[in-house]
Amino acid sequence: MQLIDARDLATFLIDLAEQRTPGTFNGTAPIGQTTFREVLEAAGDADLRWIPDGALAAAGVEPWTELPLWLPAAGTWRVSTTRAQAAGLRTRPIAATVADVAAWLRAGGEAGLPDWHAELRPQPLSPEREAELLALA
């Protein structure tokens, strides 16, 4: 996966602007920086159960919507960041980002967010749908 902390991207963009660095850059973490497992394990004490992509597809799971970050299309998480890294992009480990977001949530940070386009956000899996998918594990 190529998840980037918004703070790292912001720092990189500000540095580019201050240095007047021209060009086009892919602003994401380098290929192979983290895995789906590492993201989920960093999130806490969940009971992880792996379901093959084929089984999820056969069950009609909607990529990205029903299972956030799950995009089985080839090349989804294979975007080169070589130019950005050469220009100074640095990314922190995903565990640090997840820990900071968890601390922010515990402190009530989400309550301060506007409800902008809440009607367009995907709904979480229903308990019935979750049980159906867990049966595939």
Side-chain angles (χ1 to χ4, degrees), residues 34-120:
T34 194
T35 65
F36 208 164
R37 178 181 289 277
E38 289 167 340
V39 172
L40 295 174
E41 287 176 346
D45 61 354
D47 177 17
L48 301 180
R49 298 187 199 169
W50 296 102
I51 303 167
D53 287 347
L56 291 171
V61 173
E62 184 69 32
W64 197 265
T65 304
E66 281 190 282
L67 293 179
L69 304 179
W70 178 64
L71 288 171
T76 297
W77 300 110
R78 310 253 342 133
V79 176
S80 175
T81 59
T82 304
R83 284 182 37 92
Q85 290 175 63
L89 176 64
R90 300 292 172 263
T91 56
R92 69 192 77 206
I94 195 67
T97 299
V98 171
D100 288 348
V101 169
W104 175 77
L105 287 169
R106 282 192 303 276
E110 185 179 18
L113 293 177
D115 216 14
W116 186 73
H117 283 296
E119 72 280 3
L120 301 177

